[in-house]
């Protein structure tokens, strides 16, 4: 597995050489955008809006506009703010996992040791892992990638660590902005709902789940490749039914 970042995890004054790896991958089919008439690929070019010139990577820098004036910055200028930040993942402290709101948790990454050839030190890595397991705590960390600073939750996982990127509180939109139709439900109806939930209880087995829609998309592609004419069925909106009657039906007429 190819690592996507390498640096040091700072545990107090101890610097632990680490590598991070993407813990998830995309299962979905990637379609290209094409011209409807001749199937030519539609590509996105980096073009200057002033002179229409197509640009190469070395022609592009970061810019910030204030009152219409453009201020340009090189990667070196931005990195000079924290010269070592791009190589350090700092442990801010330790807490219980349930103190982290589930809405804050984002993309997962695996954390492993750095290569021995690059002076990787396994002892400090295992020391931190076993100490965290013994007190049943997770670590809150922060790190810089490119021009952004991130926070995350680091927990012991398998032979190494699992890092879950966290959103900042200011990134999460208030749930109060969501429209909820306020209505009253009778205690009898709630009790029937509870009985339906009891009937639907099961032991969750993660390994049983597959991304089925992508499988169907691939079958569709195969049929198209074989020259089959595809029929598109009209989608009908589901009927609105009585909650009371549906609960009775699910409970078998109870």
């Amino acid at each position: 597995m190819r690592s996507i970042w390498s640096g040091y995890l700072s545990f107090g004054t101890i610097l632990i050489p680490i590598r991070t790896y993407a813990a998830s991958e995309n299962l979905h089919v990637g379609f290209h955008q094409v011209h409807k008439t001749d199937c030519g690929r539609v590509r996105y070019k980096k073009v200057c809006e002033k002179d229409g010139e197509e640009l190469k990577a070395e022609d592009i820098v970061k810019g910030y506009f204030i009152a219409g004036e453009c201020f340009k910055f090189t990667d070196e200028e931005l990195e000079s703010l924290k010269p070592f930040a791009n190589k350090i993942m700092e442990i801010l402290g330790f807490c219980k996992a349930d103190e982290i709101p589930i809405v804050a948790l984002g993309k997962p990454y695996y954390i492993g040791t750095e290569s021995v050839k690059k002076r990787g030190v396994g002892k400090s890595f295992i020391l931190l892992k076993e100490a965290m397991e013994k007190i049943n705590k997770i670590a809150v960390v922060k790190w810089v990638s490119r021009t952004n600073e991130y926070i995350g939750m680091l927990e012991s996982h398998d032979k190494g660590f699992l890092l879950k990127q966290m959103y900042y509180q200011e990134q999460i939109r208030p749930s109060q902005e969501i429209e909820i139709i306020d209505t009253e439900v009778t205690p009898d109806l709630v009790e029937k709902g509870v009985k339906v939930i009891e009937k639907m209880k099961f032991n969750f087995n993660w390994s049983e789940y597959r991304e089925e829609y992508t499988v169907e998309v691939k079958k569709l592609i195969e049929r198209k490749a074989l020259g089959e004419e595809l029929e598109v069925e009209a989608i009908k909106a589901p009927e609105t039914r009585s909650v009371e009657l549906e609960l009775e039906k699910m409970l078998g007429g109870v």
Side-chain angles (χ1 to χ4, degrees):
M1 191 184 299
R2 186 176 180 181
S3 67
I4 57 174
W5 185 89
S6 65
Y8 298 89
L9 178 63
S10 70
F11 175 35
T13 58
I14 301 172
L15 290 181
I16 306 171
I18 60 168
R19 286 184 178 184
T20 65
Y21 305 81
S24 60
E25 59 183 352
N26 185 19
L27 294 177
H28 305 148
V29 174
F31 287 97
H32 297 296
Q33 287 191 323
V34 298
H35 189 187
K36 187 176 181 180
T37 58
D38 60 14
C39 221
R41 285 281 302 275
V42 178
R43 300 183 185 275
Y44 296 94
K45 298 179 180 179
K46 294 183 178 181
V47 177
C48 176
E49 65 177 15
K50 287 188 176 181
D51 56 23
E53 182 183 352
E54 186 176 349
L55 305 175
K56 298 177 182 178
E58 57 266 27
D59 300 322
I60 302 171
V61 295
K62 292 179 175 66
Y64 193 87
F65 289 85
I66 300 177
E69 186 175 355
C70 177
F71 296 89
K72 295 176 287 186
F73 295 88
T74 64
D75 289 339
E76 291 74 20
E77 286 174 327
L78 292 170
E79 288 176 4
S80 69
L81 291 171
K82 295 182 178 180
F84 300 107
N86 284 310
K87 284 294 179 184
I88 300 291
M89 182 178 292
E90 180 185 357
I91 294 178
L92 302 176
F94 300 89
C95 65
K96 295 179 180 177
D98 59 12
E99 293 181 54
I100 308 295
I102 193 167
V103 71
L105 298 177
K107 195 171 182 180
Y109 299 90
Y110 292 130
I111 302 289
T113 54
E114 178 57 282
S115 168
V116 175
K117 295 178 181 178
K118 294 185 178 180
R119 303 181 195 176
V121 181
K123 189 173 184 179
S124 55
F125 185 94
I126 300 302
L127 162 67
L128 176 62
K129 176 179 169 61
E130 293 187 0
M132 287 173 60
E133 288 175 347
K134 188 168 185 177
I135 62 171
N136 194 27
K137 290 288 190 292
I138 59 94
V140 174
V141 299
K142 73 173 181 179
W143 73 100
V144 173
S145 179
R146 296 177 183 172
T147 58
N148 298 311
E149 185 174 71
Y150 300 95
I151 55 172
M153 182 181 92
L154 187 70
E155 60 183 332
S156 177
H157 179 80
D158 202 4
K159 293 182 179 180
F161 290 99
L162 183 67
L163 170 67
K164 294 177 185 173
Q165 184 180 321
M166 289 167 53
Y167 295 106
Y168 291 99
Q169 188 174 23
E170 63 213 73
Q171 287 181 276
I172 302 300
R173 296 173 177 172
S175 60
Q176 290 80 5
E177 294 180 4
I178 306 302
E179 181 181 355
I180 304 294
I181 300 172
D182 193 17
T183 185
E184 291 185 3
V185 181
T186 64
D188 179 59
L189 204 58
V190 172
E191 191 57 38
K192 288 180 179 178
V194 169
K195 288 179 180 178
V196 170
I197 292 172
E198 290 289 342
K199 287 184 68 174
M200 294 177 68
K201 284 197 306 186
F202 74 119
N203 294 318
F204 176 74
N205 184 348
W206 195 22
S207 65
E208 293 178 356
Y209 292 84
R210 297 289 185 273
E211 212 285 55
E212 296 177 354
Y213 182 75
T214 296
V215 175
E216 294 302 317
V217 170
K218 289 179 179 178
K219 288 180 181 177
L220 198 68
I221 292 171
E222 289 176 7
R223 287 168 57 193
K224 193 86 166 181
L226 292 171
E228 186 177 335
E229 198 68 34
L230 304 179
E231 294 183 8
V232 180
E233 297 181 6
I235 299 174
K236 295 181 180 180
E239 297 178 13
T240 303
R241 299 173 180 172
S242 162
V243 173
E244 290 82 355
L245 291 177
E246 290 302 312
L247 282 174
E248 292 287 353
K249 189 186 297 182
M250 287 187 282
L251 291 171
V254 175

